[in-house]
Amino acid sequence: MFDVKMDLIEDWIKTVKEVFRGSGYPLQDGLSEEELALLYYEQTLEGEQAQQAAAATLTRLRELEAAIRDNLSAVIVPDIRQRTGYEGDRFHFCWVYNQGEHIIEMESEYRIPLQ
């Protein structure tokens, strides 16, 4: 059995908050994931487009998280072990933006590019 820590939406939200904070417009506490996503996309899109982009991002991150969990034993852990030599059973997957979107497994530094 593996010990897996993962909350890709929370990772994305932390980045969104940092973008706003860095631009001099820190966001108020207590906003929902949906509200934060909408505020983010309203910076570049209007109305329905912003709503669709916000919903699509949250859905995509949930689907990525489910795909990682569903494929962990059969595909991802064997690939991590082969590529990195990591032999542990603790995994911490994080969403990051660094010259594109990636999911990084922090214990092994295994990187999954999303583009």
Side-chain angles (χ1 to χ4, degrees):
M1 194 67 162
F2 300 117
D3 177 12
V4 178
K5 180 179 177 187
M6 177 172 38
D7 191 339
L8 303 181
I9 290 177
E10 181 60 28
D11 298 333
W12 184 81
I13 296 246
K14 286 178 186 175
T15 301
V16 166
K17 288 179 177 180
E18 186 59 34
V19 166
F20 276 93
R21 192 173 17 261
S23 67
Y25 299 99
L27 297 170
Q28 65 188 31
D29 291 333
L31 296 173
S32 70
E33 294 170 346
E34 291 78 10
E35 290 168 323
L36 288 165
L38 183 58
L39 284 170
Y40 176 76
Y41 283 105
E42 285 177 335
Q43 303 308 302
T44 56
L45 301 171
E46 294 187 21
E48 185 68 24
Q49 287 181 319
Q51 291 174 349
Q52 289 174 353
T57 295
L58 296 177
T59 297
R60 183 174 62 90
L61 291 169
R62 285 184 188 102
E63 289 170 351
L64 285 168
E65 192 166 314
I68 290 169
R69 289 189 189 281
D70 291 346
N71 293 290
L72 189 67
S73 295
V75 177
I76 296 171
V77 169
D79 197 44
I80 288 172
R81 299 208 191 293
Q82 177 188 358
R83 291 178 187 261
T84 70
Y86 178 70
E87 291 297 325
D89 289 333
R90 173 178 282 155
F91 299 95
H92 180 187
F93 293 93
C94 294
W95 179 94
V96 298
Y97 190 91
N98 183 356
Q99 298 177 344
E101 287 183 282
H102 298 84
I103 296 173
I104 297 178
E105 195 292 306
M106 304 303 286
E107 301 294 331
S108 65
E109 298 182 15
Y110 178 80
R111 180 179 297 261
I112 304 169
L114 298 179
Q115 299 169 351

